[in-house]
Every structure is written in C-alpha cells, then in structure tokens.
C-alpha cells in the first residue's frame, strides 16, 4: 500500500472514517445543484487535460510500455467525451420527468425525480486504469453523488497520480481515493455504499457482489469474458481482417471488449490468415522498440498467455506467430508477438478462458447456424462482432445475446455515449455511459401529486353499494 498522498490516498484503516465523512457531508449538503455539478465536471476535465503527459508517462511506466497514442485515444478521449456529453445533457437528465396517470387517478399528476443515491464506490482495473476509474466517476458526479475510488494495485503510478489530481480538484469528503490490493479491495467492497460499480474479472465480481449483498448495496458489475467475432459469408475480408486485428492488438489485446476469437467460413481460412499477417505487419513493422505496441502488464499475465499458446501447440493446433522484423523479444520487456492459433480444440484453456493478450484463435464453420450455436453454447459475452451484410446481421443480432455489439467494426460501440455499455450474466450486470450512467447512479423517485378535487374518498370505508359499483367499473376488461 502506498503512503498517504496529498491527504487523498487512504490506508484501509481510514477507509471507514472517510466513508462516514462522505455520508455526513451528503446528508448535510444534500443534492448538489446543476451549476455545482457542471463546475465539478469541468474541473475534473481540466485537471485531466492539464496532465495528459504525466498520465501517459505513468501508465506507460506501469505497463513497461504503453503507446502514448493508445492512452490518448482510449483513455483521455473517452473521458473528455463523457464529460462534454454529460455537461451538454445534464439539465435534461436532471429535470423531473412528468408521466401520465391512468384515467381512474385523474386529475392527479405524477413525475419521476432523479436524486443522487449518496456515496458511490468505484473499484477499477489496470487495463485502462484511467478511463475505467474516471468515466464511471463522471457519471456518479453528474448524478450528484460523492465518490470513493479504489483503483488497481497493478498500476501503482497511475493510481497515485489519479489520487493526487483528484485531491487537487475535490474536497476530501467529496472524492477520495483508496489504494491497495485485493485485501483493501475486499474491505472497500464491504463499506455500506449506496451504489458500488466494479470493473474487473468475473471471478472477483462474484466476491464483490457477495460483499455488497451484506449491506444490500446495489451493484453494477462490468466484467469480462470471451467476445466472439463472427465473419459472415459476404463480409469484405480485407477491411474485416484489419478491423479485427486493430481491435485485438489495441493495448496488446488487454481490452475487455477485444475480439477474443474468430468464427470464419471454412473456405476463407487461408485468405484470412494471409490478410491477418499482412495487417499485423503493416500496423507493427517492428515490435521490440516500437512504442505503438504495448507490453503485457506483468510477468504473471505474460506467462499465462504464453502458457495458453504452448498448450494449444502441444495439442496440435497450428500457431502463426507474426513478427515482421523477426526480432528476438526480450522477456523482461513483456512484449508478446501477435499470434493466430488455428482451429484450437474447445477443451483448451485458450478457448475456455478470456485471453486478454495479442493471441487470436480462429475457428471455422460451414453454416452460419453453427457459429450462432457455438456462441450460444457459452456464457453470454461482453461484446459480439459481426461482419457482413444486413440480412444475416439481423439474424445474428436476434439469435445471440451479448452485452453490446458492433457490426462491421470492433470496439466502437464503447465510444458511442448514447449506447448503454455493460454486460449480461457472467459478463456483467447493469450499464453506464451517457444517460445510462446518470441513471445508474440516480434514484428514480416516483412521486404522485394528488389534486385537491379527487375521488379517493369514494374508496374509504365503510364499504357499501358505492364501493361495489366503483370496483365493478375498475375491474372492467
Ligand atoms: P484487477 O486485477 O486490476 O482487479 C480489478 C480491481 O478489483 C482492482 O482494483 C483490485 O484491487 C480489485 N480486487 C481484487 N480482489 C478483490 C476483492 N476480493 N474484492 C474487491 N476488490 C478486489 O483487474 P482484473 O480483474 O485483472 O481485470 C481484468 C478483467 O476485467 C478482464 O476479465 C476484463 O475483461 C475485465 N474488464 C472488464 C471491463 C468492462 O468494462 N466490462 C473493462 C476492463 C476490464
């Protein structure tokens, strides 16, 4: 655990006291005004904007190498987009929403009020350490909450820098950062938050939900899984392959919605492999000294991915390693060459576990039904990608269940603020982004407004012939 930093980085022992201070401040001050929320979001965006270089350097140091462009594209840009979108729409999101009442209840009125739930906990992972901490925070602050953040211990420099920047922007009882590993994470998840959003693996997600259940704390779980790519018969293969390779190799495959594996028409296999080799060599002519190509986060994950490939190779699967310059990649740089694994068996770890690395299994099918059945025989994925024309597209989207989907591209559904982002079943519970994030962190209070002239007293006891008559009318078909 790191030492306290600017009064914002908390040891576990202080966690409960900080939570109590947040709760007391929330009860004292109530929901912040729209003006205050807009100002908070602006301050947050400005602090990130002023520190892009430091943030990119911290993330890169945590990874070994993380492409600066990837950090700007996949961390800074989504944060600034989320802030801009929330600021633009906040007034409409916060406005009480009038709803109609049934004829029997007229002339009363009804409306939905959006209230902050109170104190929100956010537990974030290492793979996009800034984005996955700050974008949920934007939603929680837009909804008027106070926030405690527990970022990943695997990116300590980034976590400390976030803590420092957040402490410079917000009072300690509005936003606080708690650093530490799984033990601190466990204690954090046991705090009686009014909402807890966790992003990370499905296994830890179960533990977080169990801990939250003790307090009946509602959870949003942003989890992982194996996101398939179905290539249709009529897909334009060159652009399809480029998009899959791009989605797979961004952050060296350490992306929750990275295409995990490909399902491809059998007769297209050779062409797919040739195009994939070309695409990788074009995107990454070298690997070792190439700043565009990101390292694997740590030794444990490096060995895990290497192990999947070794097992697949030992079981007879063909492995195509793509290393255009034929470089020797030192293991301590933790850069793994992109690899295709052709037709691995379904019992292998590479087809059972989320890969989270630059390795792409390719499996073939004869009929589209087989590809759909393959996906449906497995846990609902976080994302599904389909490449091809509109006819089969609709069939694939209708017959499969996934958290989200992109058609004829990979990853981009994450970037559209008007789409809910989240999983289903083992890939997650709940969603955020844009208005969905605002709603996730808001209580929708249903309010009934009785009018002065109304028929309610006709239902009061003692019950008699009038009640009978009214019931007859109310029960009509
Ligand atoms: P991680 O190891 O960084 O863990 C995530 C967070 O959980 C960390 O802050 C960690 O300290 C904390 N934690 C660990 N044990 C805990 C416990 N028992 N109780 C409470 N908190 C605990 O990240 P990871 O799990 O390796 O992340 C990778 C996974 O996350 C992948 O499966 C990936 O698909 C998924 N992911 C999902 C999304 C999404 O938006 N759905 C985004 C990124 C990553």
């Amino acid at each position: 655990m790191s030492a306290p930093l600017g009064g914002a980085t908390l040891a576990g022992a202080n966690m409960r006291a900080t939570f109590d201070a947040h709760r007391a401040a929330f009860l004292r001050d109530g929901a912040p005004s729209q003006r205050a929320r807009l100002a908070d979001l602006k301050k947050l965006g400005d602090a990130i904007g002023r520190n892009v270089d430091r943030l990119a350097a911290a993330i890169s140091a945590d990874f070994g190498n993380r492409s600066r462009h990837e950090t700007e594209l996949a961390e800074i840009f989504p944060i600034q987009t989320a802030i801009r979108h929330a600021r633009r729409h906040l007034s409409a999101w916060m406005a009480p929403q009038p709803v109609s009442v049934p004829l029997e209840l007229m002339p009363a009125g009804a409306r939905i009020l959006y209230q902050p739930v109170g104190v929100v906990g956010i537990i974030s992972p290492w793979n996009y350490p800034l984005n996955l901490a700050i974008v949920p925070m934007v939603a929680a602050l837009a909804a008027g909450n106070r926030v405690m953040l527990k970022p990943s211990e695997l990116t300590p420099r980034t976590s400390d820098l976030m803590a420092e920047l957040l402490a410079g922007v917000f009072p300690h009882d509005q936003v606080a950062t708690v650093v530490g590993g799984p033990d601190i994470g466990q204690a954090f998840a046991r705090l009686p938050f009014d909402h807890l959003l966790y992003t990370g693996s499905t296994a830890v997600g179960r533990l977080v939900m169990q801990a939250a259940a003790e307090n009946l704390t509602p959870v949003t779980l942003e989890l992982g899984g194996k996101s398939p790519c179905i290539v249709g018969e009529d897909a334009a293969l060159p652009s399809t392959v480029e998009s899959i390779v791009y989605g797979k190799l961004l952050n060296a495959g350490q992306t929750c919605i990275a295409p995990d594996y490909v399902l491809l028409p059998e007769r297209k296999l050779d062409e797919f492999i040739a195009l994939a080799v070309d695409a990788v060599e074009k995107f990454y002519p070298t690997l070792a000294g190439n700043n565009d190509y990101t390292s694997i986060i740590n030794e444990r994950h490096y060995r895990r991915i290497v192990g999947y490939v070794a097992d697949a190779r030992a079981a007879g699967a063909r492995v195509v390693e793509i290393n255009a310059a034929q470089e020797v990649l030192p293991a301590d740089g933790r850069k793994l060459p992109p690899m295709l694994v052709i037709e691995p068996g379904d019992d292998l770890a590479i087809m059972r576990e989320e890969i989270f690395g630059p390795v792409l299994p390719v499996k073939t099918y004869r009929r589209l039904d087989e590809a759909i059945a393959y996906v449906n025989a497995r846990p609902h994925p976080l994302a599904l990608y389909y490449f091809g024309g509109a006819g089969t597209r609709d069939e694939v989207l209708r017959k499969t269940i996934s958290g989200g989907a992109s058609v004829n591209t990979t990853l981009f559904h994450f970037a559209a603020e008007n789409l809910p982002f989240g999983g289903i079943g083992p890939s997650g519970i709940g969603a955020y982004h844009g208005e969905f994030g605002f709603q996730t962190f808001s209580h929708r209070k249903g309010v009934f407004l009785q009018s002065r002239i109304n028929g309610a007293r006709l239902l009061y006891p003692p019950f008699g012939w009038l009640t009978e008559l009214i019931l007859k009318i109310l029960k009509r078909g």
Side-chain angles (χ1 to χ4, degrees):
M1 198 189 318
S2 336
L5 210 162
T9 307
L10 300 165
N14 292 335
M15 231 190 290
R16 178 69 210 211
T18 302
F19 175 83
D20 291 341
H22 276 229
R23 167 77 41 86
F26 180 73
L27 292 174
R28 184 189 65 223
D29 296 348
S33 66
Q34 182 188 331
R35 179 194 283 238
R37 298 185 206 188
L38 289 173
D40 283 343
L41 293 174
K42 172 138 187 15
K43 281 190 295 186
L44 180 58
D46 289 349
I48 303 280
R50 277 195 308 273
N51 288 280
V52 172
D53 290 348
R54 289 179 72 201
L55 287 162
I59 296 175
S60 188
D62 281 335
F63 271 78
N65 177 64
R66 156 67 92 75
S67 153
R68 181 197 163 78
H69 291 95
E70 287 185 347
T71 293
E72 295 218 24
L73 268 172
E75 312 245 22
I76 307 291
F77 164 65
I79 290 171
Q80 301 297 19
T81 303
I83 291 177
R84 210 171 34 245
H85 185 82
R87 282 173 49 81
R88 189 172 300 146
H89 296 283
L90 190 62
S91 158
W93 295 347
M94 285 176 70
Q97 190 188 328
V99 292
S100 60
V101 295
L103 196 62
E104 302 84 37
L105 301 179
M106 283 184 175
R111 64 184 57 159
I112 300 168
L113 297 185
Y114 294 95
Q115 292 190 300
V117 291
V119 187
V120 163
I122 295 173
I123 303 178
S124 55
W126 53 267
N127 64 326
Y128 290 96
L130 190 63
N131 177 335
L132 299 171
I134 303 295
V135 173
M137 185 179 292
V138 167
L141 291 173
N145 298 284
R146 286 161 194 270
V147 182
M148 288 178 67
L149 169 69
K150 210 308 269 161
S152 176
E153 68 281 9
L154 299 191
T155 46
R157 298 167 189 83
T158 312
S159 298
D160 283 351
L161 180 54
M162 279 195 295
E164 179 197 319
L165 298 181
L166 292 169
V169 172
F170 297 107
H172 180 57
D173 60 5
Q174 187 182 4
V175 175
T177 310
V178 177
V179 297
D183 48 338
I184 297 291
Q186 246 170 39
F188 187 88
R190 282 201 296 267
L191 291 173
F193 289 113
D194 298 295
H195 196 102
L196 181 57
L197 182 143
Y198 165 82
T199 304
S201 64
T202 301
V204 173
R206 283 182 217 280
L207 300 177
V208 168
M209 193 165 174
Q210 276 169 21
E214 288 293 317
N215 300 306
L216 294 181
T217 293
V219 289
T220 300
L221 300 179
E222 297 283 338
L223 310 177
K226 291 180 83 63
S227 296
C229 247
I230 301 181
V231 179
E233 279 288 346
D234 57 349
L237 217 48
S239 58
T240 296
V241 173
E242 283 201 343
S243 178
I244 294 173
V245 166
Y246 172 74
K248 185 70 176 184
L249 297 185
L250 183 82
N251 209 25
Q254 300 163 107
T255 303
C256 56
I257 50 169
D260 189 280
Y261 63 94
V262 172
L263 298 172
L264 182 75
E266 202 172 32
R267 59 190 184 81
K268 303 213 168 182
L269 181 61
D270 291 341
E271 192 185 355
F272 183 96
I273 295 171
L275 287 169
V277 171
D278 285 352
V280 175
E281 293 187 349
K282 185 170 88 178
F283 293 169
Y284 305 99
T286 61
L287 300 170
N290 185 346
N291 286 338
D292 289 352
Y293 193 60
T294 292
S295 306
I296 302 303
I297 185 74
N298 62 18
E299 187 65 24
R300 181 171 65 83
H301 280 286
Y302 182 88
R303 287 187 189 288
R304 177 183 62 78
I305 304 162
V306 167
Y308 292 164
V309 177
D311 286 354
R313 195 180 259 131
R318 178 176 157 213
V319 177
V320 181
E321 190 175 305
I322 311 168
N323 178 348
Q326 297 297 310
E327 294 163 283
V328 176
L329 301 177
D332 61 356
R334 294 191 309 280
K335 283 194 172 177
L336 258 183
M339 285 176 257
L340 306 174
V341 179
I342 313 301
E343 301 283 18
D346 293 337
D347 53 335
L348 294 171
I350 203 168
M351 290 314 295
R352 284 187 285 106
E353 306 292 336
E354 180 178 0
I355 296 169
F356 230 53
V359 179
L360 184 69
V362 183
K363 295 191 65 97
T364 59
Y365 67 84
R366 292 209 185 95
R367 291 186 4 259
L368 185 68
D369 276 353
E370 291 171 20
I372 292 173
Y374 189 89
V375 171
N376 287 340
R378 288 164 175 76
H380 297 324
L382 182 58
L384 180 139
Y385 301 109
Y386 174 73
F387 290 83
T392 38
R393 171 197 72 196
D394 292 343
E395 185 184 348
V396 170
L397 292 177
R398 197 175 61 247
K399 291 186 174 171
T400 57
I401 297 178
S402 60
S406 284
V407 173
N408 289 326
T409 190
T410 56
L411 310 183
F412 276 88
H413 61 288
F414 184 92
E417 282 291 304
N418 285 330
L419 291 177
F421 181 76
I424 174 163
S427 59
I429 294 176
Y432 69 120
H433 283 195
E435 187 169 9
F436 302 99
F438 175 87
Q439 294 218 357
T440 286
F441 293 116
S442 295
H443 170 56
R444 286 188 304 243
K445 182 188 278 184
V447 179
F448 185 81
L449 301 159
Q450 185 62 291
S451 93
R452 248 181 343 144
I453 303 162
N454 65 73
R457 63 181 53 239
L458 299 178
L459 300 173
Y460 295 169
F463 301 127
W465 67 269
L466 185 57
T467 323
E468 296 284 346
L469 182 66
I470 291 173
L471 277 174
K472 210 169 178 178
I473 296 168
L474 291 177
K475 289 190 306 188
R476 75 198 183 279

